[in-house]
Amino acid sequence: MSRSTLLLLSAAIGLAGCSSTPTRFWTVEPLAGTAPPSGGRIAAPIQIAAVRLPLAIDRLEIVQHDTANRMKVLDFDRWSAPPGDLLRQVLTQDLIGQLPPGAVILPGAPMPAGTRAVVVEILDLRQSGERFVMQLSWSFAGKPVQPHVLTLDAAAGAGDPAAQSQALGEMMARLAAAIAASAGIR
């Protein structure tokens, strides 16, 4: 065997022995809701302007925050888009399912005059025992009113990224219900 063939064979064997963990990508799905009200209307359309997260968890790698003041960054489990964007999209989709047609303006779309922009500030997201718990506030931007402060929770299941994704979807559906209830359907 020639020296170059031996080097090539050695490199191939070395690479075959190395295996890397595949990166998994996760998203958050809206929950299948009920049909939106057909006869009602709201005072002004709503647009989810922003969903803001703490910098420690606003990253593409999934971060698990437990009650022992520890954060674990999962290098091989990533969100398919920035988490704030994912949650904004899901919250918008959930609102569309709960409000009359035309009541929700899509993210990034021009806002007609009188549109109420909703801003969501997530203070904390962590696993607490068998539950994922999210503390947040939301308000209509530009309004001199008190923000709505909520603590939402959902089953943690195995506590893995699949369970975290499912829990986020459930919590966003409940947030959408709270916003829809404040929208003033007539």
Side-chain angles (χ1 to χ4, degrees):
M1 231 186 255
S2 72
R3 183 172 182 211
S4 61
T5 305
L6 187 56
L7 284 173
L8 186 59
L9 184 60
S10 294
I13 290 171
L15 287 175
C18 295
S19 65
S20 64
T21 303
T23 302
R24 293 171 297 266
F25 291 90
W26 300 89
T27 191
V28 179
E29 296 290 336
L31 294 186
T34 59
S38 58
R41 53 185 207 103
I42 62 172
I46 293 173
Q47 183 182 58
I48 303 299
V51 175
R52 299 185 185 121
L53 293 101
L55 292 176
I57 61 173
D58 191 15
R59 53 191 305 158
L60 289 176
E61 298 89 356
I62 292 179
V63 177
Q64 294 180 329
H65 186 184
D66 63 21
T67 56
N69 295 322
R70 291 182 309 187
M71 298 188 90
K72 183 171 148 186
V73 177
L74 305 179
D75 293 325
F76 298 106
D77 288 292
R78 297 175 181 255
W79 295 115
S80 60
D85 293 344
L86 284 175
L87 297 179
R88 181 181 181 204
Q89 176 183 333
V90 169
L91 183 55
T92 299
Q93 290 172 296
D94 283 331
L95 274 173
I96 288 170
Q98 297 184 30
L99 292 174
V104 179
I105 307 301
L106 299 181
M111 290 175 43
T115 299
R116 295 179 291 173
V118 175
V119 176
V120 178
E121 294 283 343
I122 296 175
L123 176 65
D124 190 33
L125 172 65
R126 70 177 64 225
Q127 184 173 346
S128 180
E130 302 293 316
R131 313 290 292 171
F132 281 111
V133 179
M134 178 186 294
Q135 294 176 310
L136 63 91
S137 71
W138 71 270
S139 59
F140 292 110
K143 295 276 186 178
V145 295
Q146 285 292 100
H148 302 267
V149 178
L150 299 173
T151 298
L152 304 172
D153 68 335
D160 61 358
Q164 188 171 352
S165 175
Q166 177 69 29
L168 285 170
E170 291 173 19
M171 290 186 280
M172 287 298 101
R174 288 207 302 282
L175 174 57
I179 294 169
S182 295
I185 298 176
R186 301 184 257 185

